[in-house]
Amino acid sequence: STLTLHFFILSFFLSFLFPRCQCPTHSHTYSQGNTFMAVSNIRYGAGVTKEVGMDLQNMGAKNVCLMTDKNLSQLPPVQAVMDSLVKNGIHFQVYDNVRVEPTDTSFKEAIEFAKKGAFDAYVAVGGGSTMDTCKAANLYASSPHSDFLDYVNAPIGKGKPVSVPLKPLIAVPTTTGTGSETTGVAVFDYQHLKVKTGIASRAIKPTLGLIDPLHTLHMPERLVVQCHLESYTALPYHMRSPCPSNPIMRPAYQGSNPISDLWAVHALRIVAKYMKRAVRNPDDLEARSHMHLASAFAGIGFGNAGVHLCHGMSYPISGLVKTYKAKDYNVDHPLVPHGLSVVLTSPAVFTFTARMFPERHLETAGILGADIRNARTQDAGSVLADTLRKFLFDLDVDDGLAAVGYTKADIPALVKGTLPQERVTKLAPRPQSEEDLSALFEASMKLY
């Protein structure tokens, strides 16, 4: 049987959890508090994919876009979706030209397909690249007269709020790590600036996520992992100001908060217990099933709290890639995968941020296996950094930025690519200067 998880956070409940928001620069208060929780409905269980056709039938869908990538289009997860659509009489068209680590160009190609197809529902089968591409296609097909940069995060784009209704989108994740089936974020490489950016709006989150752990058995081991500590250590929601003048302007990433903290810590505990098993044994269904669900849990956490410096620095690491091609990625272009680009700076970043909230940094180190019984708060950064290095070493992660093709001469360009990422960098608990960023990139050149 399947386990259906519906996450509804009622305003009544929030009124008890959160204090009223007295904005320092506005005279009004917000009765719903200073934070907001938005997640997709999630259905979890082995074989749950077979229900997707019935779900679309129940939605009244008549013309469906099935999005995936060239590699996945030949694998069992996509076949399982198509079998369900055919069985339930759902008319669909397949778009299998999703680019692994999408660009603005690949987004626009998918958007054009969606506009021409006049679809009334979408199904995304794949990892974060597919789900993010499908979110963007749904958004711009639903807002056909918008310029591409209208919804892209400021300062690269205009960051306009989404006010148009979107079509239903069912996400079927086949990897663990991105949690994109729960979030309103779509990330891509903006080729003009050679940097990653994205679109962040609750309006683009999937209607439903079908988490079928059987699909992880068809993925290479390196695609199993990506860890998020940033949402738990992000600047707390009540320390951000001013409050937006209208709820529609409230950012998707709000800072750490009591609800997202629960999901982030629970996901981290699962990661600590099962991730090494999932990577080392691709047939370990128990471990991979737990990691698949942990990915959704983490997505609920960081999809609302946000991420910070590791992600902000990761975007130019991926965007400025030279010749490096990640292991087990069957692609024809240089590629530093998103998860790898994030974790390579994590020891340096958490050493840097720990002085602001040392207890949280120590707590996460303890969850990941460190003995923190006698640890001092002033050592929180080094304790967590050492714990992360051991974790990454045991997982055979590349030895720092140098291992993926960067040298110290690249640091100015990496810093330049980080500076526009204010949507996430300003969520770091400790402000950072250009000199700080340079030092963090230099410290990340080698991990072990």
Side-chain angles (χ1 to χ4, degrees):
S1 64
T2 63
L3 175 65
T4 302
L5 305 175
H6 293 286
F7 304 109
F8 296 110
I9 307 301
L10 301 177
S11 59
F12 176 79
F13 176 61
L14 285 174
S15 70
F16 287 92
L17 262 180
F18 303 114
R20 288 175 179 267
C21 167
Q22 183 66 53
C23 300
T25 58
H26 298 87
S27 60
H28 61 273
T29 59
Y30 283 141
S31 61
Q32 76 268 31
N34 202 9
T35 189
F36 181 87
M37 201 70 178
V39 296
S40 307
N41 287 334
I42 300 296
R43 191 180 303 134
Y44 170 83
V48 72
T49 304
K50 68 180 179 293
E51 298 179 359
V52 66
M54 289 183 283
D55 286 314
L56 290 164
Q57 195 177 67
N58 293 338
M59 294 173 181
K62 304 296 183 185
N63 183 28
V64 174
C65 175
L66 169 58
M67 281 204 176
T68 189
D69 63 51
K70 282 285 195 299
N71 295 323
L72 261 175
S73 65
Q74 307 300 317
L75 294 176
V78 170
Q79 188 61 52
V81 170
M82 291 194 294
D83 288 348
S84 182
L85 299 184
V86 171
K87 181 179 179 181
N88 289 278
I90 302 296
H91 177 267
F92 66 95
Q93 296 182 53
V94 176
Y95 181 84
D96 65 358
N97 203 32
V98 168
R99 189 182 195 270
V100 178
E101 300 297 330
T103 65
D104 53 323
T105 299
S106 72
F107 264 20
K108 290 174 183 176
E109 291 171 353
I111 291 165
E112 190 60 28
F113 181 86
K115 286 180 177 179
K116 290 179 179 178
F119 301 108
D120 57 12
Y122 295 82
V123 179
V125 186
S129 296
T130 296
M131 290 184 278
D132 287 4
T133 299
C134 200
K135 291 174 190 177
N138 188 10
L139 170 61
Y140 288 97
S142 301
S143 184
H145 302 299
S146 295
D147 181 76
F148 181 72
L149 289 178
D150 281 352
Y151 297 121
V152 173
N153 299 321
I156 293 173
K158 297 177 183 178
K160 289 183 177 181
V162 178
S163 57
V164 297
L166 273 64
K167 304 300 184 184
L169 192 166
I170 298 178
V172 185
T174 58
T175 63
T176 63
T178 69
S180 189
E181 66 274 10
T182 73
T183 72
V185 178
V187 176
F188 64 93
D189 281 312
Y190 188 50
Q191 293 170 299
H192 176 65
L193 296 179
K194 293 186 177 181
V195 70
K196 273 191 185 293
T197 184
I199 302 161
S201 170
R202 295 178 192 88
I204 69 172
K205 65 181 175 62
T207 311
L208 173 66
L210 296 179
I211 303 179
D212 189 338
L214 295 179
H215 296 333
T216 64
L217 297 177
H218 305 289
M219 297 297 105
E221 65 175 30
R222 307 311 308 174
L223 296 181
V224 175
V225 298
Q226 182 183 327
C227 178
H228 293 276
L229 303 176
E230 294 162 82
S231 62
Y232 192 57
T233 57
L235 188 72
Y237 75 101
H238 57 77
M239 293 179 67
R240 304 189 73 201
S241 65
C243 282
S245 57
N246 187 305
I248 198 173
M249 300 301 294
R250 191 183 294 277
Y253 285 177
Q254 304 168 74
S256 60
N257 61 78
I259 300 179
S260 64
D261 287 350
L262 295 174
W263 295 106
V265 170
H266 186 54
L268 190 61
R269 294 187 189 281
I270 297 174
V271 166
K273 183 174 182 179
Y274 290 104
M275 184 156 74
K276 291 179 184 178
R277 277 177 52 185
V279 170
R280 290 168 178 165
N281 183 4
D283 297 322
D284 189 334
L285 182 59
E286 180 190 17
R288 289 200 164 201
S289 296
H290 279 89
M291 286 298 299
H292 211 30
L293 195 54
S295 176
F297 291 167
I300 296 168
F302 72 76
N304 287 275
V307 290
H308 57 80
L309 266 184
C310 293
H311 270 73
M313 295 171 67
S314 79
Y315 295 148
I317 293 171
S318 292
L320 294 170
V321 61
K322 300 173 185 176
T323 60
Y324 179 84
K325 288 187 179 180
K327 293 172 284 191
D328 295 318
Y329 277 76
N330 184 20
V331 294
D332 58 1
H333 54 272
L335 173 70
V336 179
H338 178 58
L340 178 60
S341 69
V342 170
V343 299
L344 290 178
T345 63
S346 60
V349 164
F350 292 116
T351 300
F352 176 77
T353 59
R355 68 172 64 175
M356 305 307 295
F357 300 107
E359 294 82 6
R360 288 198 168 211
H361 287 69
L362 278 177
E363 181 184 358
T364 56
I367 292 172
L368 291 174
D371 183 353
I372 60 172
R373 288 173 295 181
N374 299 314
R376 302 177 301 172
T377 55
Q378 58 263 43
D379 297 328
S382 59
V383 170
L384 179 53
D386 287 345
T387 304
L388 286 170
R389 287 190 189 94
K390 183 179 187 305
F391 213 82
L392 297 176
F393 182 81
D394 289 346
L395 292 171
D396 194 28
V397 172
D398 298 79
D399 188 9
L401 296 179
V404 298
Y406 289 106
T407 69
K408 290 183 180 180
D410 297 309
I411 290 178
L414 291 168
V415 171
K416 182 179 178 182
T418 304
L419 294 176
Q421 310 299 334
E422 296 178 355
R423 179 181 64 92
V424 291
T425 57
K426 286 191 173 181
L427 279 169
R430 180 180 172 187
Q432 62 285 161
S433 65
E434 291 187 37
E435 290 74 19
D436 291 329
L437 292 173
S438 295
L440 291 171
F441 279 117
E442 184 168 356
S444 303
M445 284 292 165
K446 186 172 176 61
L447 294 181
Y448 315 123

